[in-house]
Amino acid sequence: MIRLTRRGAIGAGGAAAALSAAHAAPLAATAPAPRETVALDAGWRFHLGHAADPARDFGFGLSHDSYAKSGEIGTPVAGAEFDARDWATVRLPHDWAVDLPFMPFGPPGSEADRSGAFQGFKPVGRRWPETSIGWYRRALPIAAADAGRRLRLEFDGVGRDCLVILNGFVVASNESGYAPFTVDITDVARPGEENWLVVRCDASLGEAWSYEGAGLYRAVRLVKSHAAHVRRWGAWVRADPVPAGAALRIATEIDNHGPACAARLRSTLIAPDGGRLARLEAPLDLAEWSGRTIEQRLDLRAPALWSPATPQLHRLITEVLIGGQVVDRQERAFGIRFARFDPDRGFFLNGQPLRIQGSCNHQDHAGVGFAVPDSLHAWRIEQLKAMGCNAYRSTHHPPPPAVLEACDRLGLLMLCETRQMSSNAEGLSQLERMVRQARGHACVFLWGIGNEEIHRGTPTGARIAATMKRHIRALDDSRPVTEALNGKLGQGAAAILDVMGCNYHLDEIDAFHAANPAMPMIGTETGSTVTTRGVYARDDAAGLVPAYDREFPSWASTAEQWLRFYAARPFLAGGFVWTGFDYRGEPTPFERWPENASHFGQLDSCGFPKDNFHYYRAWWSGETVLHLLPHWTWPGREGAPIEVWAHSNCDEVELRLNGRSLGRRAVERLGHAAWTVPYAPGRLEARGYRAGRPVARARRDTAGAPAALSLSSDRRRLAADAVAVVRVALVDRAGVEVPQADRLVSFALHGDARLLGVGNGDPRSLEADHATRRSTFNGLCMALVQAGPGGGAIALEARAEGLKPALLTLAGLG
């Protein structure tokens, strides 16, 4: 049995009004929200169970009558007297799979070996019963004063099948590893007494064809509210264009889990600048144990609009009042924007054409697996925006709230996609929870109902798609529906969709458009160039592919190929490159031990940019870009030809070696400039020109032997729980980064913070993510530092044998 013993594990209807935003009234001070939300991040104990042996699964299932009597689950873990002091202490988010050892799944070249590569060679699944069950346990803070309140648990996502047990009662089960869910625990909670929450997670059956973690890898919270309260995700705003501005439709879902009462709904709208735009009130006659949806409407003249360039967010404050007292209050951000697709001209936002420049993204990150903290989610989206992305596809699952909020705040549109394309009760439940969670977010502009489904081109697929679309329409009538089809564009579900989603298969696109000229189209998955950061020659034995935009699987294309194809067809709304970041599993083209991570990303798994990142930045960001590749440190290759590329949006690029011009090259739109240069140590320099004038420079200097470590981070001041991504580089005596030498780096952290995880972007690495040391890969590795609640100075020290150490200081804000 593989057992986790590490302590301190990482977890890480009112009257319409017409108002002008330019004459907003100041917002009066408001009383604290009467509802209480308690984050359940800390205080958990964790232990592995066993999927095949009840005796090693804490007795669960040992007796066939475990469910015979309600409140008797058949395991001592659920009882208040259970002693879990020998269990690991963990903090959410937590992914136990990332801490499991890497393990071959079968002989080299076997189907089991290939399956292991796709799952990141982590022993999770039915073949690994001793590491596929996880038990979590903690006390719940329910005071005597909470008697009479409604008590609910909110889970943002659990991997995967789970039972939720409170005080010995099974209060919920959940099948999806990604869809959020809510559990009302009022009946079995014991205010003023001990309350023990237990979650049993079973990751034996997965949902993805790549690594997907295991456990409580997203947030859990306890919500205490009045019997009359706004439902989770129950208040949201839709905006329709009108000649004078925007017509807002405010929908509020109220549940009354108590006696009948007379109440009022008050909705307050706050402008991006903090001024109050409007306050709407409506009477509420709430029947006993009932639910109601209240519609309120408001016309705004010249409102501030949300867009990727100006992601201006309003706020909606929703209050329920009884007898003049506020008994429930919610606040959420929303954006006002008008989106539409045109079958001939692509996508329009706020009346202006907008080319979709997106990336597809999985959940995981180096150092933490699936247990990505909120601030790291936001950091990842910032990197995508720096690349020039204006859109994000949540592939292939409902996203966590932090991703939705970051896309709202930073200005990335989102294609929000469900995992299970099914019209059965479970599939529709997952779909409904995804839509309800995301429909209030300005960023979401498309609903995705499936990805490369085997039944996509069949009558069955069409019927399922029609049911799912109908279900979405009942929840949200403001956004179109798509499905990502890899081929079979004119078949099955295709006729049901509002927007055709195209995965690769460029050869089918023109024919489909000619046959279906009224159907808008978008590239839901494109590109799939495979590159390894810092590698410039293919090495099949080592499992490495070059960083030139050249290698791709049979179904895919290079970055240049797909961008040029789409740019020549205005009817295509743009597309989403596969992928933004490298991710665990699916290590095309090397599907074998020890390859355990993909090569598809424009950034590696640590978030370090690859060279293609700069290609997209040149043509997407709107900034002047000049990027040279490869590095210029090739000892022993003097005189050998080196292929040099420049990713740039300049008109021309001139290349110089040690001061001598090697000529200018014109840069074609969506292309690159290239030279073949006999290697000589020194300085390789590029100069970019527009209209004959120099506008940019880039250089590569030959590095000497590694002499020191260098630490850097774009985060130097950290709020509590915020994460700094620390870049660790090997440098020579002159401070030039050494691109090919590698060393083992050890870390020591001082202050109120923790070393959350480490990584290096090597798709073959078998080193631990939760550790105090990491080898560099092509000169780089990464450390994740998470600030604690106390604030104060934080210092990260890095050492490597024979090198000058480095120290990075950060400020914790508490």
Side-chain angles (χ1 to χ4, degrees):
M1 175 178 179
I2 301 171
R3 176 172 171 159
L4 298 183
T5 58
R6 175 176 50 82
R7 291 297 182 264
I10 305 303
L19 299 174
S20 170
H23 297 88
L27 177 63
T30 55
R35 81 163 50 196
E36 182 183 355
T37 299
V38 182
L40 301 180
D41 296 338
W44 293 91
R45 296 282 187 160
F46 171 79
H47 204 291
L48 287 172
H50 201 289
D53 186 349
R56 288 191 280 171
D57 202 28
F58 302 100
F60 182 70
L62 195 60
S63 171
H64 79 282
D65 63 354
S66 293
Y67 283 92
K69 298 292 184 181
S70 180
E72 295 181 358
I73 191 59
T75 172
V77 173
E81 68 283 355
F82 182 78
D83 186 357
R85 285 179 294 180
D86 67 335
W87 288 26
T89 300
V90 301
R91 181 180 179 86
L92 305 190
H94 178 254
D95 172 8
W96 85 71
V98 76
D99 286 321
L100 299 176
F102 292 96
M103 186 176 296
F105 278 29
S110 67
E111 184 57 33
D113 187 37
R114 181 176 182 269
S115 172
F118 271 62
Q119 300 302 320
F121 286 113
K122 293 292 187 175
V124 174
R126 293 195 66 193
R127 284 179 290 179
W128 317 99
E130 69 274 20
T131 50
S132 297
I133 301 291
W135 288 85
Y136 294 85
R137 176 182 161 95
R138 64 155 292 155
L140 273 189
I142 303 177
D146 294 324
R149 305 177 85 180
R150 300 308 300 182
L151 306 173
R152 298 182 300 282
L153 295 171
E154 295 181 349
F155 293 83
D156 288 341
V158 178
R160 181 187 177 263
D161 288 0
C162 73
L163 284 178
V164 183
I165 306 164
L166 181 64
N167 298 331
F169 289 83
V170 175
V171 290
S173 62
N174 186 66
E175 181 177 321
S176 168
Y178 303 100
F181 63 100
T182 304
V183 185
D184 191 309
I185 59 171
T186 309
D187 290 348
V188 300
R190 299 165 183 167
E193 302 179 24
E194 285 189 334
N195 288 268
W196 288 98
L197 173 64
V198 174
V199 182
R200 181 183 185 268
C201 302
D202 185 346
S204 298
L205 296 177
E207 295 178 85
W209 45 97
S210 58
Y211 175 87
E212 56 183 340
L216 299 182
Y217 75 98
R218 291 184 182 172
V220 183
R221 63 192 68 86
L222 170 65
V223 179
K224 308 173 183 181
S225 70
H226 191 274
H229 57 270
V230 182
R231 192 179 303 167
R232 187 182 186 187
W233 317 303
W236 63 297
V237 181
R238 288 159 288 180
D240 300 309
V242 294
L248 304 187
R249 295 180 287 159
I250 307 166
T252 308
E253 298 167 338
I254 306 292
D255 284 332
N256 181 31
H257 293 162
C261 61
R264 294 190 69 79
L265 169 65
R266 185 162 67 197
S267 301
T268 306
L269 283 84
I270 311 300
D273 63 4
R276 191 174 82 194
L277 288 173
R279 173 167 284 173
L280 308 177
E281 294 200 17
L284 289 173
D285 290 324
L286 298 175
E288 182 180 22
W289 285 94
S290 65
R292 287 192 61 186
T293 299
I294 309 300
E295 293 278 351
Q296 296 171 301
R297 294 181 180 270
L298 173 70
D299 291 337
L300 287 181
R301 287 195 294 267
L305 298 182
W306 184 96
S307 73
T310 57
Q312 302 190 81
L313 291 173
H314 295 68
R315 285 184 296 140
L316 171 66
I317 300 172
T318 305
E319 296 168 308
V320 179
L321 297 87
I322 298 178
Q325 297 296 312
V326 176
V327 299
D328 193 39
R329 184 178 189 270
Q330 277 191 6
E331 183 174 338
R332 70 171 305 159
F334 72 95
I336 299 174
R337 89 289 185 279
F338 313 119
R340 67 180 178 89
F341 282 87
D342 185 279
D344 299 314
R345 297 186 292 162
F347 178 69
F348 286 73
L349 186 67
N350 302 329
Q352 300 298 315
L354 181 67
R355 199 75 173 161
I356 298 301
Q357 301 171 170
S359 64
C360 303
N361 293 280
H362 282 297
Q363 164 89 24
D364 59 294
H365 193 87
V368 292
F370 257 44
V372 180
D374 288 356
S375 68
L376 184 53
H377 276 307
W379 182 88
R380 285 163 56 91
I381 291 171
E382 288 174 359
Q383 310 317 301
L384 297 175
K385 190 173 180 69
M387 188 175 79
C389 282
N390 61 16
Y392 182 107
R393 179 182 175 213
S394 61
T395 46
H396 306 284
H397 56 263
V403 170
L404 287 160
E405 291 162 6
C407 286
D408 274 354
R409 187 179 71 255
L410 297 171
L412 269 73
L413 293 155
M414 177 181 286
L415 194 173
C416 194
E417 185 169 88
T418 192
R419 172 74 292 272
Q420 186 180 127
M421 188 190 178
S422 174
S423 58
N424 65 22
E426 175 62 28
L428 293 180
S429 172
Q430 294 179 21
L431 179 68
E432 176 171 346
R433 283 177 273 153
M434 179 192 79
V435 172
R436 287 178 54 80
Q437 175 182 244
R439 65 187 177 181
H441 288 272
C443 62
V444 177
F445 78 120
L446 266 175
W447 298 118
I449 61 172
N451 177 73
E452 300 185 356
E453 307 295 335
I454 58 175
H455 52 273
R456 65 193 181 281
T458 68
T460 299
R463 291 191 293 270
I464 292 173
T467 297
M468 296 180 76
K469 180 178 173 180
R470 186 169 61 249
H471 205 69
I472 290 173
R473 283 285 183 271
L475 297 163
D476 173 33
D477 61 359
S478 66
R479 297 172 176 92
V481 172
T482 190
E483 180 184 345
L485 272 65
N486 58 329
K488 301 186 178 181
L489 295 189
Q491 305 174 42
I496 305 300
L497 306 176
D498 301 313
V499 178
M500 172 54 60
C502 306
N503 282 14
Y504 315 109
H505 290 274
L506 302 183
D507 57 330
E508 292 191 23
I509 287 176
D510 288 339
F512 177 84
H513 177 63
N516 303 270
M519 171 73 83
M521 301 179 71
I522 190 171
T524 39
E525 196 167 309
T526 57
S528 279
T529 307
V530 287
T531 62
T532 309
R533 177 184 55 77
V535 173
Y536 297 97
R538 178 157 177 153
D539 188 335
D540 284 30
L544 300 172
V545 286
Y548 299 105
D549 182 29
R550 181 176 291 144
E551 305 266 346
F552 58 91
S554 59
W555 68 83
S557 61
T558 67
E560 289 192 17
Q561 286 170 346
W562 88 261
L563 273 192
R564 290 183 173 190
F565 182 93
Y566 272 62
R569 292 159 175 79
F571 62 85
L572 291 169
F576 295 85
V577 63
W578 187 264
T579 54
F581 292 82
D582 280 345
Y583 54 94
R584 298 162 201 264
E586 208 168 21
T588 305
F590 308 109
E591 299 163 0
R592 68 193 185 206
W593 174 267
E595 297 281 336
N596 59 79
S598 82
H599 300 259
F600 289 119
Q602 314 317 306
L603 303 101
D604 71 11
S605 59
C606 298
F608 299 144
K610 302 183 190 179
D611 293 291
N612 258 18
F613 173 96
H614 300 282
Y615 170 77
Y616 285 104
R617 192 167 67 92
W619 302 111
W620 281 2
S621 72
E623 302 172 357
T624 298
V625 174
L626 177 55
H627 172 78
L628 268 182
L629 65 147
H631 59 77
W632 203 241
T633 303
W634 302 98
R637 294 194 60 184
E638 286 77 7
I642 303 292
E643 188 175 8
V644 176
W645 284 20
H647 288 315
S648 181
N649 50 16
C650 295
D651 299 337
E652 295 179 303
V653 176
E654 179 188 20
L655 190 67
R656 291 173 173 259
L657 177 58
N658 295 325
R660 181 173 62 90
S661 178
L662 303 179
R664 289 193 188 188
R665 299 284 190 273
V667 183
E668 294 184 19
R669 174 164 171 74
L670 304 178
H672 68 277
W675 300 258
T676 299
V677 181
Y679 176 64
R683 174 168 295 175
L684 189 69
E685 184 179 18
R687 298 179 182 179
Y689 296 85
R690 284 208 183 106
R693 298 176 58 244
V695 294
R697 288 194 178 196
R699 79 185 201 195
R700 297 284 190 177
D701 291 331
T702 301
L709 295 171
S710 173
L711 302 182
S712 60
S713 173
D714 63 351
R715 298 285 196 277
R716 302 301 293 270
R717 295 166 60 83
L718 302 176
D721 292 329
V723 175
V725 180
V726 180
R727 184 180 187 269
V728 185
L730 302 178
V731 297
D732 68 8
R733 293 184 182 280
V736 177
E737 293 191 0
V738 184
Q740 292 180 305
D742 290 319
R743 297 289 189 276
L744 181 63
V745 180
S746 297
F747 299 99
L749 187 61
H750 311 280
D752 185 24
R754 58 182 179 148
L755 186 60
L756 192 59
V758 293
N760 62 12
D762 184 349
R764 312 153 305 168
S765 177
L766 302 179
E767 295 177 271
D769 287 82
H770 292 140
T772 58
R773 61 183 189 173
R774 188 71 171 205
S775 299
T776 60
F777 172 62
N778 289 330
L780 300 177
C781 67
M782 172 211 71
L784 300 175
V785 175
Q786 186 174 40
I794 300 168
L796 178 69
E797 185 179 13
R799 293 182 175 272
E801 186 175 354
L803 303 182
K804 182 180 178 180
L807 185 71
L808 179 70
T809 58
L810 306 167
L813 304 180

PDB file of all heavy atoms in Angstrom, residues 270-293:
ATOM      1  N   ILE A 270     -24.386  49.293  -8.770  1.00  0.00           N
ATOM      2  CA  ILE A 270     -23.245  50.163  -8.532  1.00  0.00           C
ATOM      3  C   ILE A 270     -22.408  50.230  -9.812  1.00  0.00           C
ATOM      4  O   ILE A 270     -22.095  49.208 -10.425  1.00  0.00           O
ATOM      5  CB  ILE A 270     -22.370  49.647  -7.374  1.00  0.00           C
ATOM      6  CG1 ILE A 270     -23.240  49.315  -6.163  1.00  0.00           C
ATOM      7  CG2 ILE A 270     -21.285  50.646  -7.030  1.00  0.00           C
ATOM      8  CD1 ILE A 270     -24.021  50.483  -5.623  1.00  0.00           C
ATOM      9  N   ALA A 271     -22.057  51.449 -10.223  1.00  0.00           N
ATOM     10  CA  ALA A 271     -21.249  51.654 -11.425  1.00  0.00           C
ATOM     11  C   ALA A 271     -19.800  51.264 -11.165  1.00  0.00           C
ATOM     12  O   ALA A 271     -19.368  51.134 -10.020  1.00  0.00           O
ATOM     13  CB  ALA A 271     -21.321  53.122 -11.854  1.00  0.00           C
ATOM     14  N   PRO A 272     -19.013  51.065 -12.222  1.00  0.00           N
ATOM     15  CA  PRO A 272     -17.591  50.730 -12.036  1.00  0.00           C
ATOM     16  C   PRO A 272     -16.826  51.738 -11.203  1.00  0.00           C
ATOM     17  O   PRO A 272     -15.849  51.383 -10.541  1.00  0.00           O
ATOM     18  CB  PRO A 272     -17.072  50.666 -13.474  1.00  0.00           C
ATOM     19  CG  PRO A 272     -18.254  50.285 -14.297  1.00  0.00           C
ATOM     20  CD  PRO A 272     -19.411  50.973 -13.646  1.00  0.00           C
ATOM     21  N   ASP A 273     -17.263  53.003 -11.217  1.00  0.00           N
ATOM     22  CA  ASP A 273     -16.552  54.017 -10.423  1.00  0.00           C
ATOM     23  C   ASP A 273     -17.025  54.068  -8.977  1.00  0.00           C
ATOM     24  O   ASP A 273     -16.559  54.902  -8.193  1.00  0.00           O
ATOM     25  CB  ASP A 273     -16.695  55.396 -11.070  1.00  0.00           C
ATOM     26  CG  ASP A 273     -18.140  55.896 -11.116  1.00  0.00           C
ATOM     27  OD1 ASP A 273     -19.045  55.215 -10.572  1.00  0.00           O
ATOM     28  OD2 ASP A 273     -18.374  56.969 -11.702  1.00  0.00           O
ATOM     29  N   GLY A 274     -17.936  53.188  -8.592  1.00  0.00           N
ATOM     30  CA  GLY A 274     -18.403  53.133  -7.214  1.00  0.00           C
ATOM     31  C   GLY A 274     -19.669  53.910  -6.931  1.00  0.00           C
ATOM     32  O   GLY A 274     -20.218  53.811  -5.831  1.00  0.00           O
ATOM     33  N   GLY A 275     -20.161  54.681  -7.885  1.00  0.00           N
ATOM     34  CA  GLY A 275     -21.393  55.432  -7.676  1.00  0.00           C
ATOM     35  C   GLY A 275     -22.620  54.556  -7.818  1.00  0.00           C
ATOM     36  O   GLY A 275     -22.636  53.589  -8.577  1.00  0.00           O
ATOM     37  N   ARG A 276     -23.675  54.908  -7.076  1.00  0.00           N
ATOM     38  CA  ARG A 276     -24.901  54.134  -7.153  1.00  0.00           C
ATOM     39  C   ARG A 276     -25.702  54.551  -8.370  1.00  0.00           C
ATOM     40  O   ARG A 276     -26.030  55.725  -8.556  1.00  0.00           O
ATOM     41  CB  ARG A 276     -25.743  54.332  -5.897  1.00  0.00           C
ATOM     42  CG  ARG A 276     -26.901  53.339  -5.802  1.00  0.00           C
ATOM     43  CD  ARG A 276     -27.618  53.459  -4.484  1.00  0.00           C
ATOM     44  NE  ARG A 276     -28.581  54.558  -4.485  1.00  0.00           N
ATOM     45  CZ  ARG A 276     -29.148  55.060  -3.392  1.00  0.00           C
ATOM     46  NH1 ARG A 276     -28.797  54.589  -2.205  1.00  0.00           N
ATOM     47  NH2 ARG A 276     -30.015  56.041  -3.468  1.00  0.00           N
ATOM     48  N   LEU A 277     -26.073  53.578  -9.195  1.00  0.00           N
ATOM     49  CA  LEU A 277     -26.844  53.837 -10.399  1.00  0.00           C
ATOM     50  C   LEU A 277     -28.347  53.793 -10.137  1.00  0.00           C
ATOM     51  O   LEU A 277     -29.106  54.585 -10.682  1.00  0.00           O
ATOM     52  CB  LEU A 277     -26.500  52.810 -11.483  1.00  0.00           C
ATOM     53  CG  LEU A 277     -25.131  52.940 -12.144  1.00  0.00           C
ATOM     54  CD1 LEU A 277     -24.893  51.758 -13.068  1.00  0.00           C
ATOM     55  CD2 LEU A 277     -25.045  54.243 -12.933  1.00  0.00           C
ATOM     56  N   ALA A 278     -28.761  52.814  -9.358  1.00  0.00           N
ATOM     57  CA  ALA A 278     -30.208  52.656  -9.148  1.00  0.00           C
ATOM     58  C   ALA A 278     -30.445  51.764  -7.948  1.00  0.00           C
ATOM     59  O   ALA A 278     -29.588  50.955  -7.567  1.00  0.00           O
ATOM     60  CB  ALA A 278     -30.868  52.058 -10.394  1.00  0.00           C
ATOM     61  N   ARG A 279     -31.634  51.935  -7.351  1.00  0.00           N
ATOM     62  CA  ARG A 279     -32.093  51.014  -6.322  1.00  0.00           C
ATOM     63  C   ARG A 279     -33.527  50.650  -6.654  1.00  0.00           C
ATOM     64  O   ARG A 279     -34.401  51.535  -6.742  1.00  0.00           O
ATOM     65  CB  ARG A 279     -31.980  51.633  -4.938  1.00  0.00           C
ATOM     66  CG  ARG A 279     -32.611  50.787  -3.841  1.00  0.00           C
ATOM     67  CD  ARG A 279     -32.207  51.275  -2.465  1.00  0.00           C
ATOM     68  NE  ARG A 279     -30.838  50.862  -2.160  1.00  0.00           N
ATOM     69  CZ  ARG A 279     -30.189  51.266  -1.066  1.00  0.00           C
ATOM     70  NH1 ARG A 279     -30.752  52.102  -0.226  1.00  0.00           N
ATOM     71  NH2 ARG A 279     -28.959  50.839  -0.840  1.00  0.00           N
ATOM     72  N   LEU A 280     -33.783  49.382  -6.872  1.00  0.00           N
ATOM     73  CA  LEU A 280     -35.106  48.883  -7.240  1.00  0.00           C
ATOM     74  C   LEU A 280     -35.644  48.019  -6.108  1.00  0.00           C
ATOM     75  O   LEU A 280     -34.901  47.223  -5.522  1.00  0.00           O
ATOM     76  CB  LEU A 280     -35.030  48.046  -8.521  1.00  0.00           C
ATOM     77  CG  LEU A 280     -34.347  48.687  -9.737  1.00  0.00           C
ATOM     78  CD1 LEU A 280     -34.296  47.695 -10.887  1.00  0.00           C
ATOM     79  CD2 LEU A 280     -35.071  49.956 -10.150  1.00  0.00           C
ATOM     80  N   GLU A 281     -36.944  48.168  -5.819  1.00  0.00           N
ATOM     81  CA  GLU A 281     -37.550  47.350  -4.778  1.00  0.00           C
ATOM     82  C   GLU A 281     -38.817  46.695  -5.306  1.00  0.00           C
ATOM     83  O   GLU A 281     -39.510  47.246  -6.180  1.00  0.00           O
ATOM     84  CB  GLU A 281     -37.856  48.180  -3.527  1.00  0.00           C
ATOM     85  CG  GLU A 281     -36.599  48.699  -2.836  1.00  0.00           C
ATOM     86  CD  GLU A 281     -36.843  49.095  -1.396  1.00  0.00           C
ATOM     87  OE1 GLU A 281     -37.885  48.680  -0.829  1.00  0.00           O
ATOM     88  OE2 GLU A 281     -35.990  49.801  -0.821  1.00  0.00           O
ATOM     89  N   ALA A 282     -39.095  45.518  -4.787  1.00  0.00           N
ATOM     90  CA  ALA A 282     -40.302  44.784  -5.178  1.00  0.00           C
ATOM     91  C   ALA A 282     -40.819  44.011  -3.975  1.00  0.00           C
ATOM     92  O   ALA A 282     -40.028  43.475  -3.191  1.00  0.00           O
ATOM     93  CB  ALA A 282     -39.983  43.817  -6.321  1.00  0.00           C
ATOM     94  N   PRO A 283     -42.156  43.951  -3.798  1.00  0.00           N
ATOM     95  CA  PRO A 283     -42.724  43.168  -2.694  1.00  0.00           C
ATOM     96  C   PRO A 283     -42.559  41.673  -2.952  1.00  0.00           C
ATOM     97  O   PRO A 283     -42.562  41.206  -4.095  1.00  0.00           O
ATOM     98  CB  PRO A 283     -44.193  43.578  -2.686  1.00  0.00           C
ATOM     99  CG  PRO A 283     -44.467  43.993  -4.100  1.00  0.00           C
ATOM    100  CD  PRO A 283     -43.191  44.591  -4.613  1.00  0.00           C
ATOM    101  N   LEU A 284     -42.400  40.918  -1.859  1.00  0.00           N
ATOM    102  CA  LEU A 284     -42.269  39.469  -1.941  1.00  0.00           C
ATOM    103  C   LEU A 284     -43.243  38.822  -0.976  1.00  0.00           C
ATOM    104  O   LEU A 284     -43.109  38.972   0.248  1.00  0.00           O
ATOM    105  CB  LEU A 284     -40.848  39.029  -1.564  1.00  0.00           C
ATOM    106  CG  LEU A 284     -39.701  39.316  -2.512  1.00  0.00           C
ATOM    107  CD1 LEU A 284     -38.381  38.945  -1.846  1.00  0.00           C
ATOM    108  CD2 LEU A 284     -39.881  38.530  -3.792  1.00  0.00           C
ATOM    109  N   ASP A 285     -44.235  38.137  -1.499  1.00  0.00           N
ATOM    110  CA  ASP A 285     -45.097  37.316  -0.655  1.00  0.00           C
ATOM    111  C   ASP A 285     -44.583  35.884  -0.782  1.00  0.00           C
ATOM    112  O   ASP A 285     -44.796  35.208  -1.801  1.00  0.00           O
ATOM    113  CB  ASP A 285     -46.564  37.420  -1.111  1.00  0.00           C
ATOM    114  CG  ASP A 285     -47.147  38.794  -0.814  1.00  0.00           C
ATOM    115  OD1 ASP A 285     -46.787  39.357   0.244  1.00  0.00           O
ATOM    116  OD2 ASP A 285     -47.921  39.310  -1.635  1.00  0.00           O
ATOM    117  N   LEU A 286     -43.876  35.454   0.238  1.00  0.00           N
ATOM    118  CA  LEU A 286     -43.212  34.158   0.181  1.00  0.00           C
ATOM    119  C   LEU A 286     -44.052  33.109   0.896  1.00  0.00           C
ATOM    120  O   LEU A 286     -44.280  33.188   2.100  1.00  0.00           O
ATOM    121  CB  LEU A 286     -41.830  34.247   0.834  1.00  0.00           C
ATOM    122  CG  LEU A 286     -40.851  35.223   0.167  1.00  0.00           C
ATOM    123  CD1 LEU A 286     -39.559  35.309   0.968  1.00  0.00           C
ATOM    124  CD2 LEU A 286     -40.562  34.794  -1.274  1.00  0.00           C
ATOM    125  N   ALA A 287     -44.531  32.155   0.130  1.00  0.00           N
ATOM    126  CA  ALA A 287     -45.285  31.064   0.716  1.00  0.00           C
ATOM    127  C   ALA A 287     -44.341  30.154   1.510  1.00  0.00           C
ATOM    128  O   ALA A 287     -43.126  30.170   1.336  1.00  0.00           O
ATOM    129  CB  ALA A 287     -45.995  30.270  -0.380  1.00  0.00           C
ATOM    130  N   GLU A 288     -44.918  29.369   2.376  1.00  0.00           N
ATOM    131  CA  GLU A 288     -44.127  28.433   3.162  1.00  0.00           C
ATOM    132  C   GLU A 288     -43.404  27.438   2.252  1.00  0.00           C
ATOM    133  O   GLU A 288     -43.985  26.891   1.330  1.00  0.00           O
ATOM    134  CB  GLU A 288     -45.064  27.685   4.119  1.00  0.00           C
ATOM    135  CG  GLU A 288     -44.366  26.698   5.028  1.00  0.00           C
ATOM    136  CD  GLU A 288     -45.357  25.986   5.944  1.00  0.00           C
ATOM    137  OE1 GLU A 288     -46.567  25.947   5.603  1.00  0.00           O
ATOM    138  OE2 GLU A 288     -44.929  25.479   6.984  1.00  0.00           O
ATOM    139  N   TRP A 289     -42.119  27.264   2.490  1.00  0.00           N
ATOM    140  CA  TRP A 289     -41.302  26.310   1.734  1.00  0.00           C
ATOM    141  C   TRP A 289     -41.540  26.454   0.233  1.00  0.00           C
ATOM    142  O   TRP A 289     -42.064  25.567  -0.428  1.00  0.00           O
ATOM    143  CB  TRP A 289     -41.551  24.877   2.198  1.00  0.00           C
ATOM    144  CG  TRP A 289     -40.889  24.624   3.507  1.00  0.00           C
ATOM    145  CD1 TRP A 289     -41.434  24.728   4.744  1.00  0.00           C
ATOM    146  CD2 TRP A 289     -39.509  24.289   3.687  1.00  0.00           C
ATOM    147  NE1 TRP A 289     -40.495  24.477   5.715  1.00  0.00           N
ATOM    148  CE2 TRP A 289     -39.291  24.198   5.088  1.00  0.00           C
ATOM    149  CE3 TRP A 289     -38.444  24.054   2.823  1.00  0.00           C
ATOM    150  CZ2 TRP A 289     -38.050  23.886   5.631  1.00  0.00           C
ATOM    151  CZ3 TRP A 289     -37.211  23.743   3.362  1.00  0.00           C
ATOM    152  CH2 TRP A 289     -37.016  23.660   4.747  1.00  0.00           C
ATOM    153  N   SER A 290     -41.154  27.597  -0.262  1.00  0.00           N
ATOM    154  CA  SER A 290     -41.401  27.895  -1.672  1.00  0.00           C
ATOM    155  C   SER A 290     -40.173  28.551  -2.288  1.00  0.00           C
ATOM    156  O   SER A 290     -39.239  28.953  -1.589  1.00  0.00           O
ATOM    157  CB  SER A 290     -42.608  28.833  -1.819  1.00  0.00           C
ATOM    158  OG  SER A 290     -42.316  30.106  -1.239  1.00  0.00           O
ATOM    159  N   GLY A 291     -40.201  28.677  -3.588  1.00  0.00           N
ATOM    160  CA  GLY A 291     -39.178  29.398  -4.313  1.00  0.00           C
ATOM    161  C   GLY A 291     -39.814  30.299  -5.343  1.00  0.00           C
ATOM    162  O   GLY A 291     -40.857  29.967  -5.923  1.00  0.00           O
ATOM    163  N   ARG A 292     -39.208  31.466  -5.568  1.00  0.00           N
ATOM    164  CA  ARG A 292     -39.730  32.414  -6.541  1.00  0.00           C
ATOM    165  C   ARG A 292     -38.589  33.036  -7.326  1.00  0.00           C
ATOM    166  O   ARG A 292     -37.475  33.191  -6.821  1.00  0.00           O
ATOM    167  CB  ARG A 292     -40.492  33.551  -5.837  1.00  0.00           C
ATOM    168  CG  ARG A 292     -41.836  33.170  -5.255  1.00  0.00           C
ATOM    169  CD  ARG A 292     -42.587  34.433  -4.870  1.00  0.00           C
ATOM    170  NE  ARG A 292     -42.832  35.312  -6.020  1.00  0.00           N
ATOM    171  CZ  ARG A 292     -43.361  36.528  -5.928  1.00  0.00           C
ATOM    172  NH1 ARG A 292     -43.693  37.019  -4.740  1.00  0.00           N
ATOM    173  NH2 ARG A 292     -43.555  37.256  -7.000  1.00  0.00           N
ATOM    174  N   THR A 293     -38.886  33.404  -8.555  1.00  0.00           N
ATOM    175  CA  THR A 293     -37.952  34.176  -9.371  1.00  0.00           C
ATOM    176  C   THR A 293     -38.586  35.528  -9.658  1.00  0.00           C
ATOM    177  O   THR A 293     -39.705  35.598 -10.171  1.00  0.00           O
ATOM    178  CB  THR A 293     -37.630  33.458 -10.685  1.00  0.00           C
ATOM    179  OG1 THR A 293     -37.018  32.206 -10.396  1.00  0.00           O
ATOM    180  CG2 THR A 293     -36.678  34.294 -11.534  1.00  0.00           C
TER     181      THR A 293
END
